[in-house]
Amino acid sequence: MASIGTLIGPVVSLRNYKARIVANLLGVNLAVTPDFEMGKDNKTPEFLAKFPLGKVPVFEGANDFSLTDSSAIAYYVAMKSSDGAELLGRTDEERAEIMQFSFFAEADYSPAQAGAIYPALGYMQFVKPAVQAAEEQLMRFIGVLNTVLLDRTFLVGERVTMADIIVTCGLTMAFTHYLTAADRKQFRNVTRYFKTMIAQPAFKSVIGEFTFCEKRTAPAAPAKKEKKKVEQPKKAEKKVEKKVEEEKEEEPAPKPKSLLESLPPTSMPLDSWKRFYSNNETKPDAMNWLWENFDAEGYSFWKVDYKYNDELAKCFMTNNLIGGFFNRLERARKYAFGCLLTLGEDDNNQIWGYFIVRGKVVPEEVTDAADYESFQWTAADHTDEKTKAEIEDCFAWEGPSLPRPCYDGKVFK
């Protein structure tokens, strides 16, 4: 089969992947440019004369036909096959839904992902407030997708469509640089979906063996500028009488420490538990570790219930509320671990969970959070078998002791 044209750009690129996966699925012959050098080949006068934006990938076909957008190129490749409807949609409803997810990936998800990850990769300047806002958006959009995929294998219908190709290619950057093992556990539906997609032969032959993120890529610390020392002119010495007592400069007051720092040392560093929880199956491995190492003198368990469950509406909004509360618990991150779950269904759900905190009372680092008064914190006896079972099921997000089926949740660690 003759080639329909050439996809120009670096072959290792989430944008480049789209059209090539389409070509693999439909058996379309699409030429590529494996020797393309980004930053050089797309800056030549010849390239810019054809593609003034200088962006890649681009497509060159017969009769001087060309395209510049990666998703537009993928759609065009599908249109060149008699089986293109399998990817583009068989009905008006399917086509509309495919476009819905494609637009979501391009217009909502991708800008948030770029804002959160590009500064760490050196592609954008690191501006902390902007990165934090982008990270919050990114996690919110992944949370929405996690909800959509709760009972779906594919985004539209029961087969791979263009929506899956565009969304999966978009997710590769987050799973490579941002979503750690703990995040993947939190967004288990998205993780299951992504693993299913990249295991498909047409995807795997393009993307290759995939390595998941172990630790988030952090932005490089800015180089410190050396301050030039300015020599001060020497002042003429004056003869003065020595004072009997010299005034002492006031020393700056020491920074106030958390009261929790004055507690006796604990045999269970909280970070050790957080790492074990993040990197192992919750039941039985992580929970066995917790019960074997738990320091009952140094920590306490607290059951947490939202006081205004009757005001909750959509489940994804409830889960976002939990995320907002966790954001305002930043001071407590060193001293607390917990899971809050969204239980139930739309227009009939609740927030419920358990926390481990340092000490025997809820510390100021928690009570000082703006939303603290919206939650009921009740001391819990982990030696009680019923309570112990609830803690285990809460931290695993599943199990018979949950008050209601788990829709989603978040982990504070």
Side-chain angles (χ1 to χ4, degrees):
M1 180 188 293
S3 171
I4 64 167
T6 303
L7 182 68
I8 302 171
V11 293
V12 180
S13 161
L14 64 88
R15 293 184 178 87
N16 187 292
Y17 294 159
K18 300 175 190 177
R20 291 164 58 203
I21 292 171
V22 172
N24 281 358
L25 283 167
L26 298 177
V28 176
N29 188 347
L30 177 66
V32 296
T33 55
D35 297 325
F36 188 91
E37 291 186 43
M38 186 65 183
K40 179 182 176 182
D41 294 339
N42 61 319
K43 300 296 184 183
T44 64
E46 295 79 13
F47 186 93
L48 294 175
K50 294 180 181 179
F51 307 103
L53 291 176
K55 293 184 177 181
V56 291
V58 294
F59 173 83
E60 278 190 323
N63 302 320
D64 294 325
F65 178 74
S66 62
L67 288 169
T68 59
D69 180 83
S70 61
S71 292
I73 297 168
Y75 268 82
Y76 176 74
V77 174
M79 293 172 188
K80 299 302 287 183
S81 169
S82 58
D83 296 323
E86 293 298 306
L87 297 183
L88 301 176
R90 297 168 181 161
T91 66
D92 291 343
E93 289 73 21
E94 280 192 351
R95 286 187 284 274
E97 200 171 3
I98 288 168
M99 285 191 289
Q100 168 189 275
F101 285 112
S102 300
F103 294 158
F104 162 79
E106 298 286 2
D108 295 321
Y109 175 82
S110 289
Q113 178 174 255
I117 300 176
Y118 275 12
L121 300 178
Y123 301 154
M124 290 172 59
Q125 182 180 0
F126 179 81
V127 180
K128 189 172 182 179
V131 171
Q132 288 177 331
E135 287 180 324
E136 188 172 332
Q137 277 192 322
L138 175 62
M139 298 303 262
R140 175 171 166 262
F141 290 143
I142 294 175
V144 170
L145 195 57
N146 196 61
T147 301
V148 170
L149 291 166
L150 182 64
D151 55 358
R152 301 189 194 193
T153 301
F154 306 101
L155 287 171
V156 180
E158 298 301 326
R159 68 188 189 282
V160 174
T161 66
M162 187 66 74
D164 298 303
I165 295 169
I166 292 175
V167 170
T168 299
C169 289
L171 287 169
T172 56
M173 179 177 288
F175 277 107
T176 300
H177 298 287
Y178 195 83
L179 297 176
T180 62
D183 298 317
R184 297 194 292 274
K185 181 182 288 188
Q186 179 178 347
F187 300 114
R188 60 187 67 193
N189 299 329
V190 175
T191 302
R192 179 254 309 155
Y193 166 80
F194 183 75
K195 288 180 176 179
T196 299
M197 291 299 106
I198 63 174
Q200 304 286 322
F203 285 75
K204 192 168 185 177
S205 64
V206 171
I207 298 173
E209 293 297 328
F210 194 84
T211 302
F212 286 91
C213 172
E214 294 183 3
K215 183 179 180 182
R216 284 183 184 170
T217 305
K224 293 183 179 179
K225 294 181 179 179
E226 292 185 4
K227 293 183 179 180
K228 293 183 179 180
K229 293 182 179 180
V230 180
E231 292 186 5
Q232 298 291 337
K234 293 183 179 180
K235 294 181 180 180
E237 294 182 1
K238 293 182 179 180
K239 292 182 178 180
V240 294
E241 295 181 1
K242 291 183 179 180
K243 295 182 179 179
V244 177
E245 294 182 0
E246 294 181 354
E247 294 182 0
K248 293 183 179 179
E249 289 185 10
E250 291 187 9
E251 295 182 1
K255 287 186 177 181
K257 289 185 177 181
S258 167
L259 293 176
L260 298 175
E261 297 293 337
S262 63
L263 293 176
T266 174
S267 60
M268 187 190 83
L270 196 57
D271 282 346
S272 297
W273 155 245
K274 291 178 179 181
R275 281 194 299 271
F276 200 92
Y277 175 85
S278 299
N279 296 317
N280 294 273
E281 290 295 326
T282 305
K283 292 193 293 187
D285 299 342
M287 295 313 303
N288 285 346
W289 188 98
L290 179 62
W291 301 133
E292 289 170 8
N293 293 275
F294 185 69
D295 174 14
E297 295 301 317
Y299 295 92
S300 55
F301 280 96
W302 295 81
K303 186 176 182 179
V304 183
D305 292 282
Y306 190 58
K307 293 180 180 179
Y308 310 107
N309 288 320
D310 57 335
E311 298 178 5
L312 300 176
K314 299 298 182 184
C315 286
F316 80 89
M317 297 172 66
T318 300
N319 219 50
N320 288 341
L321 188 153
I322 297 173
F325 176 49
F326 282 5
N327 288 339
R328 288 178 277 279
L329 282 177
E330 188 60 35
R331 286 183 60 207
R333 199 166 295 279
K334 184 178 178 182
Y335 309 107
F337 168 91
C339 291
L340 289 185
L341 309 181
T342 298
L343 305 178
E345 57 192 7
D346 284 347
D347 302 315
N348 183 20
N349 55 80
Q350 69 182 90
I351 297 174
W352 175 92
Y354 278 89
F355 260 70
I356 302 172
V357 301
R358 188 78 165 92
K360 295 294 187 179
V361 297
V362 181
E364 179 192 3
E365 285 79 1
V366 173
T367 61
D368 193 44
D371 298 346
Y372 171 76
E373 294 297 336
S374 297
F375 294 84
Q376 181 66 47
W377 291 67
T378 307
D381 178 9
H382 71 283
T383 62
D384 175 73
E385 288 302 318
K386 180 177 180 295
T387 301
K388 184 177 180 180
E390 286 187 352
I391 293 170
E392 292 187 350
D393 289 350
C394 173
F395 288 0
W397 293 25
E398 59 186 4
S401 69
L402 297 185
R404 302 166 71 181
C406 180
Y407 169 85
D408 206 346
K410 291 189 180 294
V411 180
F412 181 80
K413 59 182 180 56

